[in-house]
Amino acid sequence: MKKQQSHMIGGLFAAVLATMSLPGSVRAQSADVPYADVAEIPAGWFFQGSDAVERQYAYQIDEQVYGHDISRRNRWYDVEVDKWHIYLPDYFIMKTPVTNDQYAAFVRDTGREAPDISEEDWESLGLIYGYDATRPFAWQNGEPPRGKGNHPVVLVSWRDAQDYAAWLSSKTGIKWRIPEEIYWEKAVRGADGIFYPWGNIYDPLQLNSADRGPFDTVPVGQFEPGPYGLYDGAGQVFEWTATSLQAGYRIVKGGSWDDRGCGVCRPAARHGRPEHMQHILIGFRLMHE
């Protein structure tokens, strides 16, 4: 049944579901359903989290690149799940983060505000970037930034991602959701607990990070896929998960185009961000069972 469903997603999204719309009584005009390529993650055991060896490696590469030990002094990686072996059922997850073009179908169909943020709201977040840094990622007149249709959508909150999942579910009849941290991590790193999707040694040629540039998002799927065929699981943009660290906060994973090193780009790395946050470094992908 799962195999048949996988074929349906690839085939019907492209051929049939792309013409579906919400009922006329709900929407006067409805956008096409965005195509979403998915990977099937097989049922089985996998290693989640990190041990002392992996964390030490992450601190060391951060120190080598940045020339300071802030991540170690602040114990950034000590909050990671202690490495353990856990069994998960099979499931499906998008091979890439949701793109601007895919999100645009949601915006057009629902009349939702396009990804953007006011200067006041941005400054209230207390981030190191000035407001000018957000402008290349902000949408104009409800349309994505020119030339970035196939880039990951950013400036979307966790709540925006949830609403997108609900909308896509209603359009396709498939129950999409933001993945919990553990489902995201297995899909990105595979079953064997390797440090990165490609192995245990950091390689700046394998991801979009600040080690090589271009210091911006790039089209999805430009680098080699991970063990289960997922792209951009390390670098590119952090991704929202459904897992909460505390009330009002959700774990983000994966690192971004702005990170060097890249200890934070390991699938085991984690930190919390407010659900309402709209950030130029955070996007999302969805899963279903």
Side-chain angles (χ1 to χ4, degrees):
M1 185 65 180
K2 287 288 182 78
K3 294 289 187 183
Q4 293 174 347
Q5 191 178 44
S6 179
H7 294 158
M8 180 192 75
I9 294 166
L12 290 186
F13 262 28
V16 178
L17 291 179
T19 65
M20 289 178 60
S21 64
L22 290 175
S25 60
V26 179
R27 296 281 181 264
Q29 185 175 0
S30 183
D32 290 345
V33 175
Y35 176 83
D37 199 7
V38 298
E40 181 176 8
I41 312 303
W45 295 87
F46 93 107
F47 285 100
Q48 186 201 13
S50 62
D51 55 19
V53 172
E54 181 174 341
R55 294 170 194 170
Q56 174 68 8
Y57 178 78
Y59 286 130
Q60 287 177 340
I61 60 175
D62 280 0
E63 290 164 1
Q64 290 171 5
V65 169
Y66 290 106
H68 58 65
D69 64 350
I70 288 179
S71 63
R72 188 188 297 274
R73 283 189 282 113
N74 290 333
R75 304 177 66 181
W76 286 357
Y77 306 133
D78 291 6
V79 301
E80 293 169 16
V81 174
D82 288 331
K83 200 165 192 175
W84 68 318
H85 213 204
I86 182 172
Y87 184 93
L88 291 181
D90 61 334
Y91 57 98
F92 297 91
I93 190 168
M94 292 178 175
K95 287 186 176 181
T96 70
V98 172
T99 66
N100 283 310
D101 281 344
Q102 290 170 329
Y103 198 82
F106 167 59
V107 171
R108 288 192 297 267
D109 193 45
T110 63
R112 191 183 190 88
E113 289 187 9
D116 196 359
I117 190 168
S118 70
E119 184 168 7
E120 180 182 2
D121 287 343
W122 180 258
E123 296 298 338
S124 72
L125 297 174
L127 302 173
I128 62 173
Y129 304 94
Y131 182 66
D132 287 348
T134 69
R135 296 304 83 201
F137 302 95
W139 293 30
Q140 300 292 327
N141 300 317
E143 295 296 329
R146 183 172 298 179
K148 290 189 173 184
N150 200 31
H151 290 220
V153 65
V154 294
L155 288 175
V156 287
S157 69
W158 182 83
R159 296 166 187 170
D160 291 330
Q162 264 211 318
D163 289 346
Y164 179 88
W167 172 82
L168 191 60
S169 298
S170 72
K171 301 288 281 185
T172 63
I174 297 169
K175 191 173 181 180
W176 295 92
R177 72 173 194 265
I178 303 170
E180 292 84 356
E181 176 185 21
I182 197 166
Y183 286 91
W184 186 98
E185 190 172 328
K186 179 181 180 180
V188 169
R189 79 190 299 189
D192 298 329
I194 53 179
F195 294 3
Y196 296 95
W198 56 83
N200 288 335
I201 304 299
Y202 178 64
D203 181 356
L205 298 178
Q206 297 282 354
L207 78 170
N208 177 19
S209 73
D211 290 299
R212 297 177 64 241
F215 313 107
D216 194 354
T217 55
V218 298
V220 298
Q222 298 296 296
F223 299 90
E224 290 296 316
Y228 293 126
L230 267 67
Y231 296 91
D232 299 316
Q236 184 79 292
V237 293
F238 283 98
E239 298 177 24
W240 290 112
T241 76
T243 302
S244 179
L245 280 175
Q246 63 187 77
Y249 282 71
R250 300 287 169 166
I251 290 173
V252 296
K253 308 271 284 183
S256 75
W257 54 264
D258 186 56
D259 293 298
R260 291 188 291 150
C262 187
V264 74
C265 299
R266 294 172 302 110
R270 65 203 304 246
H271 60 280
R273 287 291 181 262
E275 293 176 355
H276 68 272
M277 174 179 274
Q278 296 168 269
H279 201 304
I280 59 175
L281 302 181
I282 303 178
F284 69 100
R285 76 179 77 207
L286 301 177
M287 65 165 286
H288 72 83
E289 292 169 330

